[in-house]
Amino acid sequence: MTKIDIGIGEKDREHIADGLKRLLADSYTLYLQTHYFHWNVTGPMFRELHLMFEEQYTELAGAVDDIAERIRTLDVHAPGTYQAFASLTSVEEVVEVPTAENMVEILTKGHEQVVKTCRNVLKAAQAGEDESTVALVGERMSVHEKTAWMLRATSQKA
C-alpha cells in the first residue's frame, strides 16, 4: 500500500479522524433515533412529524456515508458497529417510545449536540489545515442548526 501524502501530517490526520469518528457516531445515533421516532410517532401531528422525521433520517443517512468516507480519505478506519458508536456518541439513546411532543424535544437536543461535536471537529480540522474536513463539517453544522431551529419552531405553542 502506498503511503498517504495529502499535505496533512499523520498526527493531525489521526486527531481529525478521531473527531470525525465522534461526529459519525453522533450522526448515526441521531439517524437511528429519528428513524425510530418516524416509525412510532402518534397523535394529532402524526402526518407532519412522520414526514419531517423521514426527511431528517434520509438526510442523515447520506451524511453518515460522507463522514465515514472522509475518515477513510484520511487513511483511518471508520467505526461501524453499535458497540463502537455507543462508546463514541454523545447523543443520548432513548429506549421507550416518547410522546410526539417529547420526540421533537429529544431530536432538537440531538441536533444541538451534533452541532457542538461539529464545533470540536472544526477546531481540529482548522488546526491541521484540512480544508476538506472544514468544508464537510461546516456543511453538517449548518444542516443541524437549521434542523434544530425547525424542530424548536414545531414545538412552540401558538
Side-chain angles (χ1 to χ4, degrees):
M1 184 173 185
T2 350
K3 186 170 169 70
I4 184 172
D5 184 14
I6 58 172
I8 304 169
E10 184 176 352
K11 286 184 180 182
D12 283 332
R13 281 189 297 104
E14 290 174 1
H15 183 60
I16 294 163
D18 284 344
L20 286 168
K21 287 177 185 182
R22 293 185 184 288
L23 180 58
L24 177 61
D26 282 358
S27 299
Y28 199 84
T29 303
L30 188 58
Y31 161 81
L32 288 173
Q33 194 172 74
T34 306
H35 214 151
Y36 175 54
F37 292 172
H38 165 79
W39 291 326
N40 292 293
V41 67
T42 59
M45 292 183 53
F46 167 78
R47 181 165 172 71
E48 179 183 344
L49 292 178
H50 184 75
L51 294 173
M52 178 190 290
F53 295 163
E54 183 176 11
E55 288 172 5
Q56 291 172 3
Y57 77 70
T58 300
E59 194 282 328
L60 282 161
V64 296
D65 196 52
D66 291 342
I67 297 164
E69 289 178 356
R70 184 62 196 157
I71 294 168
R72 292 299 298 137
T73 301
L74 295 171
D75 201 33
V76 175
H77 288 107
T81 65
Y82 292 124
Q83 183 178 10
F85 290 149
S87 71
L88 291 166
T89 191
S90 49
V91 174
E92 269 189 57
E93 184 179 23
V94 175
V95 179
E96 285 87 35
V97 177
T99 65
E101 186 176 286
N102 285 342
M103 288 176 179
V104 172
E105 290 174 19
I106 291 164
L107 290 177
T108 301
K109 288 179 186 173
H111 283 278
E112 290 172 344
Q113 179 55 53
V114 175
V115 170
K116 293 180 216 173
T117 300
C118 284
R119 292 187 187 287
N120 289 330
V121 179
L122 189 59
K123 290 175 192 171
Q126 289 169 331
E129 298 180 2
D130 178 358
E131 294 303 320
S132 295
T133 298
V134 167
L136 172 68
V137 173
E139 173 63 25
R140 295 306 320 142
M141 213 163 43
S142 177
V143 167
H144 290 288
E145 287 173 343
K146 184 174 182 178
T147 303
W149 159 61
M150 290 182 166
L151 287 163
R152 282 190 304 271
T154 299
S155 66
Q156 287 182 345
K157 307 286 187 242

